[in-house]
Amino acid sequence: MRGAHRSFTRRGLLTGTLGSAALLAGGGTLTGCGTPAAQQTEEGCVSEDLSGAERTLAFSNWPQYMDVDEDDESRRPSLDGFVSRTGIQVTYTEDINDNNEFFGKVQNQLAACQSTGRDIMVLTDWMTARMIRLGWIQKLDRSKLPNVEANLLPSLRNRPFDTEDQYAIPWQSGLAGLAYNGRVTGEIRTVDELLTRPDLKGRVTALSEMRDTMGLLLMSNGHDPTDFTAAQFDDALTKLRRAVDSGQIRRFTGNDYAPDLAKGDIAACVGWSGDIIQLGFEDERIKFVVPESGVLLWSDNLLVPNRAGHKANAEELINYYYDPTVAAQLAAYVNYICPVQGAQAELEKIDPELAANPLIFPDEAMLAKAKVFMALDEQQEREYETKFQQVIGA
Amino acid sequence: MSAPAHVPTASGEQPASPAPAARPGRHRFLPYLLLLPGAAWLFLFFVVPLVQLAAASLYDPAGSLSTGYALTWSFDNYPAALQAYWPQFGRSFWYAGIALVLALLMGYPLAYAIAQKAGRWKHLLLVCVIAPMFTSFLLRTLAWKTILSDNGWLVGLLRDVHLLGPDGRLLATPVAVVLGLTYNFLPFLVLPLYASLERLDRRLLEASSDLYASPLKTFRRVTLPLSMPGLTAGTLLFFIPATGDYLNAELLGTPNEYMIGNVIDSAFLVRLDYPQGAALSFLLMSAILAVVFGYLRNAGTRDVL
């Protein structure tokens, strides 16, 4: 063993490595003190618009959220129409699959006021609210959006997180309500039925999206999701906890409830109108229900992030999609609620049956029952989200 | 935390030391030089993130994304996180433990059969063990959803033979989560075991039976000790990822089956509570390390460390 400490031993290497790692860790933590504030201001983070010189636009969207040609899936008729009408070349990327995941993807750049390489992106209300609050979204020039001014559905104007419609323009909207599979259970009319009916025990799912599930519960308690107190939230949460503890609710889901509902593994659920219309095409006994107490109206919004280089081009695109003819073309493909007035009349020319569908063009009665969830500040968002996550198990 | 880097080998203690004859000084740093690319990789993608995570676990819990987080050495994050989520912690180890026992019961005979009894079918059987790994983890778990479906043939069969009540189900129960864990990580257990058992010298088994040992005794005194390195490595490769897993609980379970991985996922992605997520990650890592060291000490294998 004479030469042992000289030679290359496993123990020596390990001690050395662990020792230097510990040293580095100590040094690293001392120097890397915390993270900087992510909050940006309009004055602090100025974006330059190159639209005059560059006729290009980078557009990030969710998969299957844009009409494609029936014969050639790589062609997108409405988008191609925009390109030929304006001469603006659009790079269209379907790289948004999940609001939280996408937030993780862009947060470092936006927190540091750097470009994400995107001129326009589509995010859901609550994420939109968070990004506006963080000062990460550019203000739009309303004078360049005459179609939006004229055609945006009244119930989608002046929403709580963007009271003057300056930052976020709806791309498509949808309802969060109840759904059931008529092959395995009878009709369901209220949230309370979903949460307590014995024959549904263990065959119910709710959405892991806090605002949708809690919004419906708040309304079932007679409270207003647009304006509620912490105590009212706790009441609704207690109701949910009871349904989880009793085993009534089987799981909390994202979009993945759809195949389970189709198979009949779950009999009823809290779900989104667009998914249920799709399922309804294949099996007419799968139905969407607007509960008496009310439904949640949400939107995915077109946003122009800070340091996007082509804001004016983006405004041209937004304005283009608020042309009722174009909106009808899109609505015929995506089956969500079309936020554009006048598109219904246009769709009647293409597909009268679809144009009569109240889940794509809701009537006054349905819109009267639809509410948008309150805009939460950062403190509330974390408090409510933590409480909700504890009930849903994480 | 990922799995330990090397599978133990039978030759253990004398690593490649420089030849004593030729100028030792010149070769003294050679091993370190050879280690350099790997070490640099580990430093950039393991040590640096680890240090960042350690720092994040000590951030001021009152911080937020918009105001930023200050490093306040808040060691309180640890007890607070443990207090809030100890059930999920316990559940992770409990489920991974049951899954490990199940996997051992299935995996040991399987590895033994492939290594010793399969003859010319050996390679085909090995491919059968490995082939499912060619598809993604997510897809395999989703396939289990179909197999265990309430209206599937399996549940129908179990109901017919009254192993399940008329309203009984498999999906969205702890059983499904444990089955998913067992299935998904089984190859990690079988492959190292196979490698050990394949080298097993059959003459030793013959010698044992010549000396009047019963088959059981032969197994206990000869086969098992000789397969110990593979068993140890396989157990660790199975147990460590199974404890930290969150996909099986998410897809096959309900909120009542969520494991600590689900909590960490939601802390980072949904609740944006970075200090708590980081503290939980470190707690998980230290708990696993403690279990692993305890196990290795008792298993008497110094080969892994």
Side-chain angles (χ1 to χ4, degrees):
Chain A
M1 291 303 276
R2 262 175 306 134
H5 59 281
R6 280 277 170 118
S7 74
F8 185 70
T9 65
R10 182 157 31 203
R11 183 161 299 171
L13 181 68
L14 252 158
T15 326
T17 317
L18 287 178
S20 31
L23 253 173
L24 273 164
T29 37
L30 278 176
T31 47
C33 272
T35 61
Q39 184 76 48
Q40 298 292 337
T41 58
E42 218 175 321
E43 302 77 45
C45 187
V46 183
S47 314
E48 193 187 355
D49 194 351
L50 308 167
S51 295
E54 298 173 7
R55 301 296 282 167
T56 60
L57 184 71
F59 185 174
S60 276
N61 206 344
W62 300 65
Q64 292 171 13
Y65 226 14
M66 178 70 88
D67 52 318
V68 294
D69 194 285
E70 269 174 33
D71 303 319
D72 178 3
E73 298 240 321
S74 65
R75 293 187 55 236
R76 303 187 175 90
S78 67
L79 200 60
D80 293 345
F82 173 73
V83 176
S84 58
R85 191 183 292 188
T86 60
I88 294 172
Q89 289 304 317
V90 181
T91 315
Y92 185 75
T93 325
E94 296 182 335
D95 63 347
I96 308 180
N97 282 299
D98 179 290
N99 282 294
N100 283 317
E101 226 167 73
F102 188 77
F103 183 81
K105 209 185 280 187
V106 296
Q107 82 178 105
N108 285 343
Q109 289 98 309
L110 288 173
C113 184
Q114 288 163 357
S115 165
T116 62
R118 295 172 178 84
D119 297 311
I120 213 165
M121 56 192 193
V122 178
L123 292 171
T124 308
D125 283 346
W126 59 273
M127 184 55 81
T128 301
R130 183 193 288 172
M131 288 206 172
I132 293 175
R133 198 179 64 211
L134 287 165
W136 291 358
I137 305 300
Q138 295 192 48
K139 211 182 256 184
L140 300 170
D141 181 353
R142 287 302 304 252
S143 69
K144 292 190 179 158
L145 304 171
N147 287 345
V148 176
E149 191 68 58
N151 301 331
L152 177 60
L153 223 57
S155 36
L156 290 169
R157 291 179 190 238
N158 316 107
R159 292 174 295 167
F161 50 86
D162 182 18
T163 48
E164 288 166 47
D165 301 327
Q166 288 173 310
Y167 294 98
I169 307 296
W171 169 251
Q172 295 287 298
S173 302
L175 298 173
L178 308 180
Y180 67 92
N181 184 336
R183 281 185 292 116
V184 289
T185 186
E187 195 190 356
I188 287 163
R189 273 183 305 261
T190 65
V191 175
D192 290 341
E193 266 184 72
L194 184 82
L195 296 183
T196 54
R197 221 165 77 181
D199 66 305
L200 295 174
K201 186 170 176 191
R203 299 162 74 206
V204 169
T205 63
L207 293 170
S208 56
E209 172 42 57
M210 185 261 284
R211 287 156 185 87
D212 290 338
T213 297
M214 290 309 290
L216 285 173
L217 262 83
L218 278 161
M219 285 189 281
S220 79
N221 278 349
H223 299 134
D224 182 359
T226 317
D227 182 19
F228 59 87
T229 65
Q232 289 170 344
F233 183 87
D234 289 344
D235 270 357
L237 199 64
T238 311
K239 197 169 176 176
L240 185 68
R241 182 179 283 125
R242 238 179 267 137
V244 172
D245 291 346
S246 72
Q248 180 85 1
I249 295 184
R250 176 183 185 127
R251 221 151 78 69
F252 287 85
T253 65
N255 280 91
D256 49 327
Y257 66 89
D260 290 355
L261 184 66
K263 273 187 285 183
D265 279 354
I266 57 172
C269 62
V270 178
W272 287 305
S273 57
D275 292 331
I276 308 301
I277 297 182
Q278 291 284 0
L279 293 179
F281 288 148
E282 284 145 37
D283 182 349
E284 58 182 21
R285 302 187 68 178
I286 295 177
K287 296 221 167 73
F288 185 80
V289 181
V290 174
E292 272 304 308
S293 47
V295 279
L296 258 288
L297 175 64
W298 55 266
S299 308
D300 287 331
N301 304 285
L302 295 156
L303 306 171
V304 180
N306 281 350
R307 302 304 289 266
H310 309 95
K311 190 175 90 145
N313 294 350
E315 284 160 347
E316 271 192 64
L317 181 111
I318 297 173
N319 198 47
Y320 168 79
Y321 272 102
Y322 269 75
D323 177 334
T325 337
V326 180
Q329 201 178 350
L330 184 63
Y333 177 83
V334 298
N335 297 325
Y336 279 89
I337 289 180
C338 174
V340 182
Q341 274 179 318
Q344 189 167 18
E346 290 295 329
L347 190 62
E348 257 160 30
K349 297 176 198 162
I350 320 174
D351 188 342
E353 198 186 328
L354 214 54
N357 192 326
L359 294 179
I360 297 177
F361 296 102
D363 52 25
E364 288 301 315
M366 196 182 267
L367 283 177
K369 278 192 206 162
K371 299 270 189 186
V372 177
F373 201 87
M374 175 165 116
L376 303 176
D377 64 33
E378 188 164 32
Q379 189 66 42
Q380 287 170 322
E381 183 170 340
R382 184 188 288 184
E383 187 194 327
Y384 290 152
E385 197 70 76
T386 303
K387 282 183 184 173
F388 179 71
Q389 293 288 328
Q390 268 161 4
V391 171
I392 76 169
Chain B
M1 257 314 270
S2 70
H6 32 240
V7 173
T9 54
S11 64
E13 285 305 297
Q14 276 308 321
S17 53
R23 288 167 292 178
R26 204 176 138 190
H27 292 291
R28 219 164 74 199
F29 295 107
L30 187 63
Y32 293 98
L33 272 176
L34 290 173
L35 266 177
L36 202 62
W41 183 268
L42 270 182
F43 178 78
L44 272 179
F45 297 109
F46 180 67
V47 178
V48 171
L50 198 69
V51 170
Q52 271 181 353
L53 197 67
S57 74
L58 301 172
Y59 285 169
D60 179 5
S64 73
L65 192 70
S66 63
T67 56
Y69 283 101
L71 181 63
T72 53
W73 302 94
S74 321
F75 286 97
D76 285 352
N77 289 345
Y78 284 86
L82 196 59
Q83 202 198 349
Y85 293 107
W86 62 266
Q88 283 88 343
F89 250 108
R91 203 177 287 145
S92 296
F93 283 92
W94 174 230
Y95 286 178
I98 307 175
L100 178 62
V101 172
L102 286 177
L104 279 172
L105 289 177
M106 283 189 281
Y108 201 99
L110 179 65
Y112 188 84
I114 298 177
Q116 295 290 330
K117 306 282 179 197
R120 64 202 176 93
W121 300 105
K122 190 193 266 187
H123 294 289
L124 184 71
L125 285 173
L126 263 186
V127 168
C128 289
V129 172
I130 304 169
M133 307 279 280
F134 294 158
T135 48
S136 97
F137 185 73
L138 184 66
L139 281 180
R140 279 181 281 142
T141 312
L142 286 173
W144 271 92
K145 275 186 81 162
T146 310
I147 298 170
L148 300 178
S149 156
D150 287 15
N151 302 314
W153 62 271
L154 184 62
V155 169
L157 185 76
L158 290 176
R159 281 179 188 161
D160 288 344
V161 299
H162 295 284
L163 274 174
L164 274 179
D167 281 331
R169 62 169 202 242
L170 285 176
L171 208 56
T173 62
V175 176
V177 179
V178 171
L179 282 182
L181 288 173
T182 311
Y183 165 77
N184 273 314
F185 297 107
L186 187 65
F188 294 107
L189 180 71
V190 171
L191 290 180
L193 254 180
Y194 163 80
S196 275
L197 286 168
E198 209 245 339
R199 278 197 306 254
L200 188 66
D201 190 340
R202 302 198 63 154
R203 286 170 304 179
L204 294 174
L205 302 182
E206 284 162 22
S208 168
S209 76
D210 285 349
L211 294 168
Y212 296 102
S214 65
L216 190 69
K217 197 160 189 184
T218 305
F219 175 75
R220 219 160 41 82
R221 303 289 294 271
V222 182
T223 315
L224 191 61
L226 284 173
S227 67
M228 229 24 217
L231 191 65
T232 314
T235 310
L236 292 181
L237 285 176
F238 181 97
F239 187 74
I240 295 172
T243 315
D245 181 76
Y246 65 97
L247 213 71
N248 286 288
E250 165 114 22
L251 294 176
L252 305 175
T254 74
N256 297 326
E257 279 86 43
Y258 276 3
M259 296 164 69
I260 197 66
N262 303 83
V263 178
I264 296 175
D265 174 61
S266 114
F268 276 112
L269 282 178
V270 181
R271 289 184 281 124
L272 303 183
D273 193 340
Y274 303 135
Q276 190 183 60
L280 283 170
S281 306
F282 263 88
L283 282 170
L284 176 64
M285 204 153 69
S286 14
I288 289 179
L289 277 178
V291 171
V292 167
F293 275 111
Y295 174 70
L296 286 180
R297 184 154 291 227
N298 287 326
T301 317
R302 289 180 49 207
D303 274 335
V304 179
L305 274 179

